[in-house]
Amino acid sequence: MIFANILHVHFDQTYWENPEEFNPSRFIDEKSQTFKTNERLIPFSIGKRYCLGQSLAEKEYFLFFVGLLQKFEFLPTGKLHLLKEFEVNNETFEIQ
């Protein structure tokens, strides 16, 4: 049986700068400020015996974002506008 050595892939110093340091910005594209795919990032393993929880995690992400879209309205804006209060189920909350 052959296993992928994911620890070695994630801590490869020839590919990652400071692999022991937690740095999520290494996965953000500097120009577009969005997540960039990386073949060296293997959070759920690879191959026939990949993580069984991957499909559950993907479904949970989907449900989480659908919940956000159902509860809130997302609009593009030209400038930053911070809310001072918001309403949920006819109850007003103030942000301090």
Side-chain angles (χ1 to χ4, degrees):
M1 189 179 289
I2 299 174
F3 291 101
N5 188 348
I6 297 172
L7 185 65
H8 178 73
V9 173
H10 286 167
F11 284 86
D12 187 359
Q13 291 184 349
T14 59
Y15 191 79
W16 302 106
E17 182 180 333
N18 300 325
E20 298 87 15
E21 182 181 313
F22 178 71
N23 181 11
S25 64
R26 69 179 83 200
F27 303 109
I28 304 294
D29 184 36
E30 292 179 13
K31 291 181 183 177
S32 64
Q33 291 297 310
T34 58
F35 178 77
K36 62 180 175 182
T37 58
N38 190 320
E39 65 183 18
R40 302 270 178 153
L41 176 64
I42 312 169
F44 294 108
S45 190
I46 56 174
K48 186 178 179 180
R49 304 193 188 285
Y50 71 95
C51 178
L52 296 175
Q54 179 179 4
S55 63
L56 176 64
E58 290 169 350
K59 288 177 179 79
E60 288 294 324
Y61 286 142
F62 175 77
L63 292 173
F64 174 75
F65 286 112
V66 166
L68 287 177
L69 292 173
Q70 288 176 341
K71 299 284 182 188
F72 300 100
E73 183 178 357
F74 296 91
L75 300 171
T77 179
K79 54 184 161 175
L80 182 63
H81 174 70
L82 299 176
L83 293 175
K84 293 190 168 93
E85 60 182 33
F86 62 96
E87 187 176 321
V88 177
N89 296 334
N90 297 324
E91 188 174 349
T92 303
F93 297 91
E94 185 176 321
I95 300 174
Q96 298 180 357

